[in-house]
Amino acid sequence: VPLNAPVNEGYTLEPDGYSCTKLNYSKLDSAVLYEKEASFVAVLDEEDSGYGPGSTFRGGEEVIGPHASPYTSDRDYNQLIDRADILNYDRYKTEHMFGGREGGGEEEETGPEAYLELEEEVEMEEEEEEEEGGGREGAHTSPGPNLEQKVPSPLPDLMATQSLTSLCQVECGGGRCEVEGQSGVPRCLCPLGRGGRYCHTSVQIETARFHGMSWVGFAPLKEAYRDVQLTLEFKPDSPDGVLLVSGENDDLSGDFMAAVLVGSYVEFRWDCGSGSGSVKSPEGVNLGEWNRVTVYRHRWDVWLQLNDGHHIQGRSQGLFSRITFREPLYVGGSNNLTSLGPRLGVRVGLQGCVRRLQVNDHVYRFRKSDPVSEPNLSADYASLDGFGITECIGDACSEVECQHGGKCVASTQDDRRSNLTFPTTTTTPTPPPFFPPPPPEPVCLCPLGYSGEFCEKQLNLEVPSFNGSSHLVFPALGGSVLSWLELEVVFRPAATDGIILYEGHRSDGTGDFIALTLYQAHVLFTIDLGSGILTLRSIQPIRPGTWHVAKVSRTGRLTHLYVDQQPAVSGLTPGAFTMLSLSHPLYLGGIPPSSSSPHPALTPPHAFMGCVQKLSLNGRPIHLVSGAVSGSNVGSCDHPCTQRPCDNGGICEPHGPSYTCRCPLGFKDEHCQSRIVTQAAIPSFGGRSFLKYSGNDIMKRVSGDKLHLWLRFRSLAPYGLLIWAGEEEMDEGSAQADILLPPPGDTLSLMLQDGRLVLRYNLGSGFAQLTYNSSRLDDGQWHTVRIYRYEREARMSVDEGEENIVVSPGDLVQLNLDSALYVGGRMTVGGVHLTPGLTGCLADLTLATDYHLDLITQAVAGQNIDYC
């Protein structure tokens, strides 16, 4: 502002010719530096600056002689701003406003990395000067001891003002009256150190509980302008809230840092004065449980870790790398929280407990300093003030033991409140006894298949049911569906709308995804390969309360939808992308709100209601209970299988409204009630049968560099597995392996395909396959098979006919097997068959020319075995 420029009425021009002051308003001269548009002023060494005598530098422009700032001496300038930041701005202005260094040359990097190097050089120079013990006084703008508070100022008054309205006239004894939003009943938010209904009771807080409007204030951070390392242990009851916040101004308009909860994820946000930065934890917090967040900040860079999860790193923008802390350090909220929403991303305080806060090796206490009772504890890390905090009652789960792997959490819901009655008046409602809050009650979260107060009751979840708030979680499909997808779901809906199946690529719902949904009683399949959405809709509506089959077949951009016996519906996805990328878990029955968001275009957005009895992906059935990673609110469907109709340990397999039983070894018939005498006999296989062997005497004759196998069989079906050996895909109930990928490692199989006998084996360097095409063998007659393998070469003959030969690829020559040998069929996760087994009989199995296997008595397991 020119010195001769007119000044608005009611204001006077400051001596610097730049700032204005309202008449009849007094403030410290030094406070001018914190006006929003004020300039930072510092003196540079004449030899280093390149400017003439008497020059100063204000806001990036040279000011000569009488226009220099009158507020402070040359030595005081050194306490106003970090020298490195001034040099950074000097270099930034020189390169961007004057076209680079004098004399030309290449343009140098001006990003934060370049300024970081300059700042390190400055610090090294300062350290060298300190070691030498010299240097001219006032020659450099080195940081002073109170740089984190550029201008000393009195601490702001943390006491909250009372807000008394016509509906909130309760006397709170120095506290603040608030009207509870849901009930409209007034209650007291007590000041720090006070508790009870009317804040009349003296309390000492060790572990603080916050109620959404609570907060605790500490003194501004010291020696934290450049480096901050903090650890916070907290137990949240809601997915959103402020954990801690501090900065330069009370509205966070300048420098600040904050840790907040947004959608169950921890976010750390900060601004060094020239651009904000933000990092978000890859994992979500555990609601109702203790969590630990650790943050380390060094200049622009921040590293964050939640619990024992992955470290995440971020960097703030701009040139400046130091944060000024003038405002108190608030925990759990703030006394000015409403206006901070745009900067923090959340407008509510923490609901939950905090038991430990440590910043730069200093542990903070949630009570005021008491030199009498605690003379050895520094007052710098005690609470200055606070409102609405109470003592967090001890862990309610400490004496509760949930059975069968259940997980205990403390419920904070006040169930007793609805049973209380209070006298009513025509003026002000009487506040309920909300302080102290009711003790949290322990609740066991039971795993799939169990229920009860302590998860002591076992459920039969052969056919899961979903009530609109339920879901099952399965491993991500990942790379198994890049180019093609085969999907089959058998379900019985109880409503005409809902998400049956969903998997996406990103947690925010954007990017690739697949979804099988019901909308207005029509089955919809929606897919996005990244270049546009395709939705296929069944021609006819389905009937709720009856079983239906939905199948999806997709190759590249072409997708088909089949529903029951309706005509197929097909279409091409828009755009040019042909690959499907899915990295998030597969959800069945609904999407948990804290884990992922469905695609914005997905209709409907709510969960499925009904039953699901089968899920098959890429031709492989997935067991709905043991194959799931987790689930919630899943019940048991009213299906005949829930009545356990299969005796003697038989397993019920649902088929629409009916079922079949898979009988264990030694039992047969429709309900596995007829006992079979286990003796040396010829077993009969029914397509869903198998015998399993794992003895060392057997496996060592199958493994190694050679194999001799001889057997007889007869088949009544063109498809069926006779022999299989290889690595187990996973144990029943395990969810660690990819259930959609072929088994890794060495394998050996002998099967019928379209009536022809096929031998396949893999020695570790690729599959070899030999198909015996001389004649069909599914004629119900007995046939003799001889297989001989030595290293990579294998020979096979049928009924003493001509030998066929195959050689495996690669250089490996041994078949390494550590698991079991299956005869007549096999099973995978949860007893679900991968391929159909033999329908017929198998006898006289001989290994290594002289080892005759007793198929019945030597089996360690088997199902649905009868006699020929």
Side-chain angles (χ1 to χ4, degrees):
V1 179
L3 292 175
N4 56 357
V7 180
N8 291 337
E9 184 177 354
Y11 291 85
T12 180
L13 186 66
E14 293 285 358
D16 63 349
Y18 184 91
S19 306
C20 294
T21 301
K22 187 176 181 180
L23 293 176
N24 299 326
Y25 174 77
S26 61
K27 59 181 177 180
L28 294 175
D29 291 340
S30 58
V32 176
L33 291 174
Y34 290 96
E35 294 293 337
K36 190 171 184 180
E37 302 297 332
S39 301
F40 287 145
V41 183
V43 174
L44 300 180
D45 186 12
E46 295 179 4
E47 297 178 359
D48 296 337
S49 65
Y51 295 97
S55 300
T56 64
F57 205 75
R58 178 186 299 116
E61 297 181 0
E62 186 180 5
V63 183
I64 308 299
H67 298 294
S69 174
Y71 296 122
T72 180
S73 65
D74 289 351
R75 178 171 178 82
D76 291 336
Y77 289 147
N78 299 337
Q79 308 298 326
L80 299 181
I81 189 168
D82 180 17
R83 177 191 181 207
D85 286 342
I86 286 292
L87 294 180
N88 289 347
Y89 194 87
D90 183 10
R91 181 173 176 180
Y92 179 85
K93 179 249 186 186
T94 302
E95 292 180 358
H96 289 268
M97 298 181 64
F98 299 103
R101 294 183 174 181
E102 295 182 5
E106 295 182 359
E107 183 177 353
E108 294 192 2
E109 181 180 350
T110 58
E113 292 81 0
Y115 292 99
L116 179 60
E117 295 175 359
L118 176 59
E119 192 169 350
E120 290 174 349
E121 293 175 2
V122 172
E123 292 178 353
M124 291 177 63
E125 294 174 3
E126 294 167 356
E127 293 173 358
E128 293 174 356
E129 292 173 358
E130 291 176 0
E131 294 176 358
E132 295 173 359
R136 289 181 299 171
E137 183 178 356
H140 299 283
T141 56
S142 59
N146 294 319
L147 180 63
E148 70 280 1
Q149 294 175 258
K150 295 188 177 75
V151 176
S153 61
L155 294 177
D157 185 9
L158 297 180
M159 295 295 294
T161 57
Q162 293 186 357
S163 174
L164 302 179
T165 66
S166 60
L167 295 178
C168 199
Q169 298 178 352
V170 177
E171 176 57 43
C172 292
R176 184 175 67 199
C177 182
E178 291 282 347
V179 177
E180 190 174 8
Q182 296 181 353
S183 63
V185 177
R187 68 178 192 177
C188 291
L189 292 179
C190 300
L192 187 68
R194 291 289 175 177
R197 182 189 299 181
Y198 303 109
C199 307
H200 293 160
T201 305
S202 177
V203 295
Q204 288 289 336
I205 304 297
E206 296 294 335
T207 301
R209 174 176 288 279
F210 299 83
H211 303 272
M213 296 179 291
S214 315
W215 54 267
V216 175
F218 299 91
L221 294 173
K222 295 183 177 180
E223 300 177 0
Y225 59 91
R226 186 182 65 176
D227 296 283
V228 174
Q229 184 170 359
L230 64 89
T231 300
L232 184 73
E233 295 183 8
F234 63 101
K235 182 167 66 174
D237 297 329
S238 64
D240 299 282
V242 175
L243 297 176
L244 60 86
V245 59
S246 183
E248 182 179 9
N249 303 312
D250 60 355
D251 59 355
L252 302 187
S253 58
D255 302 358
F256 83 96
M257 74 172 189
V260 295
L261 272 178
V262 180
S264 294
Y265 289 87
V266 177
E267 292 187 17
F268 186 81
R269 303 185 176 198
W270 76 103
D271 193 331
C272 300
S274 55
S276 61
S278 175
V279 292
K280 179 180 178 181
S281 62
E283 305 86 4
V285 298
N286 300 314
L287 295 179
E289 300 180 19
W290 287 107
N291 298 262
R292 182 184 68 258
V293 60
T294 302
V295 177
Y296 175 66
R297 171 188 159 262
H298 177 68
R299 297 175 175 170
W300 298 278
D301 297 300
V302 163
W303 292 264
L304 180 145
Q305 182 186 29
L306 177 64
N307 299 323
D308 295 322
H310 298 286
H311 288 83
I312 188 71
Q313 181 180 359
R315 166 167 281 207
S316 61
Q317 306 173 19
L319 306 178
F320 299 113
S321 63
R322 308 197 174 198
I323 295 182
T324 297
F325 293 105
R326 296 182 62 245
E327 287 296 309
L329 172 65
Y330 290 101
V331 176
S334 168
N335 63 350
N336 187 27
L337 190 58
T338 304
S339 63
L340 307 185
R343 290 284 257 175
L344 299 182
V346 64
R347 298 179 183 271
V348 295
L350 174 67
Q351 297 185 46
C353 298
V354 175
R355 68 181 179 188
R356 182 178 179 84
L357 171 63
Q358 180 173 327
V359 182
N360 290 351
D361 298 327
H362 300 295
V363 178
Y364 286 72
R365 309 188 302 278
F366 296 101
R367 58 185 186 274
K368 293 185 178 181
S369 175
D370 188 352
V372 177
S373 61
E374 297 177 322
N376 297 325
L377 296 179
S378 172
D380 294 338
Y381 311 107
S383 302
L384 295 179
D385 212 335
F387 260 85
I389 67 169
T390 58
E391 180 65 32
C392 186
I393 300 175
D395 191 355
C397 292
S398 59
E399 299 181 358
V400 175
E401 183 176 355
C402 301
Q403 302 179 22
H404 301 108
K407 191 176 185 181
C408 180
V409 297
S411 173
T412 58
Q413 183 177 3
D414 187 2
D415 297 328
R416 299 175 299 172
R417 183 166 181 169
S418 59
N419 299 325
L420 299 175
T421 57
F422 306 102
T424 58
T425 64
T426 57
T427 57
T428 304
T430 302
F434 58 92
F435 286 143
E441 298 180 359
V443 175
C444 287
L445 300 180
C446 302
L448 292 174
Y450 294 94
S451 66
E453 184 178 359
F454 303 104
C455 306
E456 73 281 5
K457 298 179 182 178
Q458 185 173 4
L459 297 175
N460 183 21
L461 289 181
E462 292 295 336
V463 182
S465 68
F466 303 85
N467 61 11
S469 63
S470 314
H471 70 271
L472 286 172
V473 184
F474 297 89
L477 299 182
S480 63
V481 293
L482 286 176
S483 301
W484 66 282
L485 168 67
E486 298 289 337
L487 169 66
E488 180 181 0
V489 181
V490 180
F491 63 99
R492 187 182 69 187
T496 58
D497 300 272
I499 298 175
I500 302 175
L501 179 144
Y502 178 85
E503 182 173 355
H505 181 59
R506 299 189 181 97
S507 59
D508 59 0
T510 61
D512 297 7
F513 78 96
I514 58 171
L516 184 69
T517 62
L518 283 177
Y519 183 63
Q520 297 180 352
H522 286 264
V523 177
L524 277 65
F525 180 75
T526 308
I527 183 172
D528 189 347
L529 303 181
S531 55
I533 295 176
L534 169 68
T535 299
L536 301 179
R537 180 175 181 267
S538 64
I539 298 176
Q540 300 173 1
I542 62 173
R543 291 172 49 192
T546 59
W547 290 100
H548 300 276
V549 180
K551 297 181 180 180
V552 175
S553 177
R554 170 247 165 192
T555 302
R557 295 174 53 216
L558 180 62
T559 304
H560 302 270
L561 173 65
Y562 308 87
V563 178
D564 298 332
Q565 305 302 319
Q566 298 183 28
V569 182
S570 61
L572 290 171
T573 58
F577 293 163
T578 61
M579 308 293 281
L580 178 62
S581 178
L582 301 175
S583 57
H584 270 251
L586 171 68
Y587 298 107
L588 184 68
I591 306 173
S594 61
S595 300
S596 182
S597 299
H599 194 280
L602 191 62
T603 302
H606 49 269
F608 170 74
M609 296 180 64
C611 301
V612 177
Q613 69 173 234
K614 180 181 180 180
L615 171 63
S616 178
L617 290 164
N618 288 356
R620 297 193 173 191
I622 298 178
H623 198 278
L624 294 178
V625 178
S626 61
V629 176
S630 62
S632 176
N633 290 345
V634 178
S636 183
C637 188
D638 55 343
H639 188 274
C641 279
T642 61
Q643 304 302 320
R644 300 185 181 274
C646 305
D647 296 334
N648 298 305
I651 299 176
C652 182
E653 289 185 336
H655 298 283
S658 62
Y659 65 94
T660 57
C661 291
R662 287 194 286 116
C663 300
L665 186 62
F667 296 91
K668 65 175 184 177
D669 75 24
E670 183 180 356
H671 296 96
C672 308
Q673 295 175 341
S674 300
R675 181 178 293 275
I676 300 174
V677 179
T678 56
Q679 61 184 11
I682 299 176
S684 173
F685 302 85
R688 297 167 31 256
S689 313
F690 71 88
L691 290 168
K692 179 181 179 181
Y693 309 88
S694 59
N696 291 333
D697 291 339
I698 298 172
M699 297 309 299
K700 72 180 181 180
R701 288 173 168 84
V702 180
S703 305
D705 59 358
K706 60 182 177 180
L707 167 70
H708 190 284
L709 184 148
W710 191 89
L711 61 84
R712 293 191 307 123
F713 78 96
R714 68 179 183 182
S715 176
L716 303 176
Y719 294 90
L721 183 65
L722 280 70
I723 300 292
W724 190 90
E727 294 185 7
E728 299 284 359
E729 290 188 71
M730 66 177 79
D731 295 331
E732 184 170 341
S734 172
Q736 300 303 317
D738 191 333
I739 55 181
L740 298 179
L741 295 179
D746 298 3
T747 57
L748 169 73
S749 65
L750 180 67
M751 67 182 69
L752 282 174
Q753 290 185 353
D754 196 23
R756 267 72 177 182
L757 199 61
V758 178
L759 171 68
R760 298 183 80 237
Y761 62 95
N762 180 11
L763 304 180
S765 54
F767 275 95
Q769 178 170 316
L770 190 157
T771 303
Y772 200 86
N773 290 318
S774 298
S775 60
R776 293 181 66 97
L777 303 177
D778 56 339
D779 52 5
Q781 302 299 316
W782 284 98
H783 298 279
T784 301
V785 180
R786 186 178 71 87
I787 298 174
Y788 175 76
R789 181 188 68 83
Y790 180 71
E791 295 186 349
R792 296 168 52 214
E793 180 182 283
R795 300 168 181 264
M796 182 172 65
S797 65
V798 178
D799 297 333
E800 303 301 330
E802 181 182 359
E803 282 189 341
N804 289 4
I805 303 174
V806 67
V807 178
S808 64
D811 298 326
L812 301 180
V813 298
Q814 288 195 341
L815 182 66
N816 299 311
L817 302 173
D818 297 325
S819 55
L821 172 70
Y822 286 87
V823 173
R826 63 177 290 242
M827 69 175 184
T828 182
V829 180
V832 178
H833 289 272
L834 284 178
T835 56
L838 172 68
T839 302
C841 301
L842 191 147
D844 301 332
L845 178 59
T846 302
L847 299 173
T849 70
D850 60 354
Y851 188 87
H852 303 285
L853 193 62
D854 190 331
L855 293 176
I856 298 294
T857 59
Q858 288 186 260
V860 297
Q863 285 182 345
N864 292 343
I865 300 299
D866 203 346
Y867 286 145
C868 281

